[in-house]
Structure formats: C-alpha cells, structure tokens
C-alpha cells in the first residue's frame, strides 16, 4: 500500500512570497489533515477535511493560509504571503475514518528567509 | 484548552529499558497515542490505548495509563540504537476534538 505522498520535500522562500504544498493521501482515506510542526514542538493541527468538506480549521491563520481538497482526494495548502514564523515542517496525514489511526507523510520543510 | 507535556530528552544505554513519560490535562481524552518520528520522516504510530485501559503490551512496548493522575508512559524494553528518535504523546477526545500532540521526547540510545 502506497503511503501519504507530499511535495516538495524542501522549499526555501523569502518573506512575503507565496508557496504551495501538495498532498496525496492513501487511496480510500476519507479524512485528511494538515499539521504545522515548528522545530522542537509537536505537530499542531491546521485543518481537517472529511472528503472534500472542512471539518475543523479553527487553528488555520486564514488571513494568509488557505487549503482545499478538490474531489476529496489530493489537497493543497497555500501560504500567501509568508512570514518568518511560518518556517516549519508541514505534515499531511490521512485516515480511513475520523477516529482511526493517522498515517503521516514525510512532510515539507519550509524555510522563510 | 488541552495541553500535553513531556520531558524533552532521554538518554539510555543499549539493552536497557527506556521509560518516556507524558502528562495531559483533558480529562475527556478517550484515546492516547505514542508516535515515533525519525529524522526527516513523518510520524509513525507505535501504539495507542483506550482510556478505560490501564496497560497495554505489544512486544517490546508497554504503555501504562494512570487516568486519575492523567499520566501516560511508554516503556521500551531492550532498547536498541534503532529506537533513537523523537517520541510524541498525543491525546484525542471523543467529542469531535482533534489530536493534541506533546512537544516530543528525543531518545538517544548510547552503545
């Protein structure tokens, strides 16, 4: 079974630029999560999708972050414009149902200069 | 809000047992998890325990839950160098709450 795929693996941008991350969850997984993991901290949930609907985006900084999950499969997370404090690893995870085990992708490491 | 705390570092000798501790604040937590993160990789679920259990054993891993004190521990028997990683404790409530992760404990296994 293929795991959760994410791209790119690394991205370096300057502040005020835009960036987008892509996630392809495990086939058939209805729930998809985006997490932000700042160095030395645990992952913090940004947004949760159930199929193509948003379940929880209470911790998503909506003035600069946006996410979508077209057709309930792939998802993209965008930051526009980026700030220095957005430097982190962005993790995507998926699970077959909401309360079930989450399977994580390798993450995208973002550095904002 | 929910909060999960862990000590940040632990060093053990190869072959010894490791005990990683975690405390949480949300008394409605239904599921408690241990995840492992190796360098450059995502998180991998090691084990989980339902809140009505006191203990769960899975090969070299033993999870102990003290619900009264809101304390969770992970014991790794016969720790190997391949166990060196960051270990995250996480909780999830039953009423639509999402996962809350601790800051992670970096386990170093010395030869």
């Amino acid at each position: 079974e293929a795991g959760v795929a994410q791209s790119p693996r690394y991205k370096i941008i300057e502040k005020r630029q835009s960036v987008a991350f892509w996630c392809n969850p495990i086939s058939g997984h209805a729930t998809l999560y985006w997490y932000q993991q700042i160095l030395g901290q645990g992952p913090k949930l940004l947004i949760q999708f159930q199929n193509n609907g948003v379940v929880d985006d209470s911790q998503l900084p909506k003035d600069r972050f946006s996410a979508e999950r077209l057709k309930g499969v792939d998802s993209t997370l965008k930051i526009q414009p980026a700030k220095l404090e957005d430097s982190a690893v962005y993790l995507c995870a998926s699970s077959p149902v909401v309360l079930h085990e989450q399977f994580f992708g390798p993450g995208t490491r973002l550095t904002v200069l | 809000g929910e909060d999960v705390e862990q000590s940040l570092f632990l060093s053990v000798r190869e072959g010894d047992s490791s005990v990683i501790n975690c405390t949480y604040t949300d008394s409605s937590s239904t599921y408690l998890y241990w995840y492992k993160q190796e360098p450059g990789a995502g998180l991998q679920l090691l084990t989980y325990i339902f809140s009505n259990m006191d203990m769960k054993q899975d090969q070299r891993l033993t999870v102990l839950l003290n619900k009264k004190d809101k304390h969770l521990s992970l014991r790794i028997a016969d720790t190997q160098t391949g166990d060196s990683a960051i270990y995250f404790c996480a909780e999830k409530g039953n009423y639509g709450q999402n996962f809350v992760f601790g800051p992670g404990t970096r386990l170093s296994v010395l030869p």
Side-chain angles (χ1 to χ4, degrees), chain B residues 33-105:
Chain B
Y33 302 81
W34 284 105
Y35 282 84
K36 177 183 180 182
Q37 186 177 37
E38 297 182 81
L43 279 69
Q44 173 197 359
L45 179 68
L46 286 178
T47 187
Y48 66 93
I49 189 167
F50 191 57
S51 59
N52 67 353
M53 299 168 64
D54 298 325
M55 186 182 90
K56 182 178 180 181
Q57 188 154 3
D58 183 2
Q59 300 182 345
R60 292 191 297 122
L61 304 179
T62 303
V63 178
L64 294 178
L65 175 61
N66 181 329
K67 197 172 179 184
K68 173 176 167 289
D69 294 338
K70 301 191 185 79
H71 182 267
L72 182 74
S73 68
L74 173 69
R75 178 177 180 270
I76 306 173
D78 187 25
T79 312
Q80 302 298 307
T81 55
D83 295 323
S84 293
I86 301 175
Y87 291 80
F88 292 93
C89 170
E91 63 165 359
K92 181 168 174 44
N94 200 30
Y95 302 108
Q97 296 104 322
N98 275 300
F99 289 81
V100 177
F101 287 83
T105 299

Side-chain angles (χ1 to χ4, degrees), chain A residues 9-10 33 35 37 40-45 48 56 91 98-107, chain B residues 8 31 33 35 37 40-45 88 92-94 96-104:
Chain A
R9 291 295 313 275
Y10 305 92
Y33 308 81
Y35 287 89
Q37 186 179 18
Q41 299 182 18
K44 183 185 86 171
L45 180 73
Q48 177 189 343
D56 184 353
L91 295 165
V98 172
L99 289 180
H100 208 271
E101 172 186 354
Q102 295 181 62
F103 295 83
F104 282 83
Chain B
L8 297 183
Y31 302 90
Y33 302 81
Y35 282 84
Q37 186 177 37
L43 279 69
Q44 173 197 359
L45 179 68
F88 292 93
K92 181 168 174 44
N94 200 30
Q97 296 104 322
N98 275 300
F99 289 81
V100 177
F101 287 83

Side-chain angles (χ1 to χ4, degrees), chain A:
Chain A
E1 179 182 72
V4 176
Q6 290 187 247
S7 68
R9 291 295 313 275
Y10 305 92
K11 189 74 177 178
I12 301 174
I13 61 172
E14 296 190 347
K15 60 183 179 185
R16 291 187 288 274
Q17 286 187 321
S18 301
V19 65
F21 313 126
W22 174 80
C23 172
N24 185 8
I26 292 173
S27 177
H29 281 195
T31 308
L32 186 147
Y33 308 81
W34 282 103
Y35 287 89
Q36 180 192 58
Q37 186 179 18
I38 292 173
L39 186 65
Q41 299 182 18
K44 183 185 86 171
L45 180 73
L46 292 175
I47 189 166
Q48 177 189 343
F49 291 95
Q50 182 73 12
N51 296 310
N52 61 351
V54 175
V55 173
D56 184 353
D57 63 356
S58 57
Q59 298 192 91
L60 187 74
K62 298 181 186 64
D63 57 334
R64 298 184 300 107
F65 286 65
S66 64
E68 59 183 7
R69 191 181 183 197
L70 299 175
K71 301 179 183 178
V73 182
D74 293 6
S75 178
T76 55
L77 176 70
K78 296 179 182 176
I79 307 175
Q80 181 180 12
K83 293 186 175 181
L84 296 176
E85 58 261 36
D86 298 332
S87 293
V89 175
Y90 290 85
L91 295 165
C92 179
S94 69
S95 65
V97 294
V98 172
L99 289 180
H100 208 271
E101 172 186 354
Q102 295 181 62
F103 295 83
F104 282 83
T108 297
R109 182 176 296 277
L110 173 67
T111 302
V112 182
L113 303 176

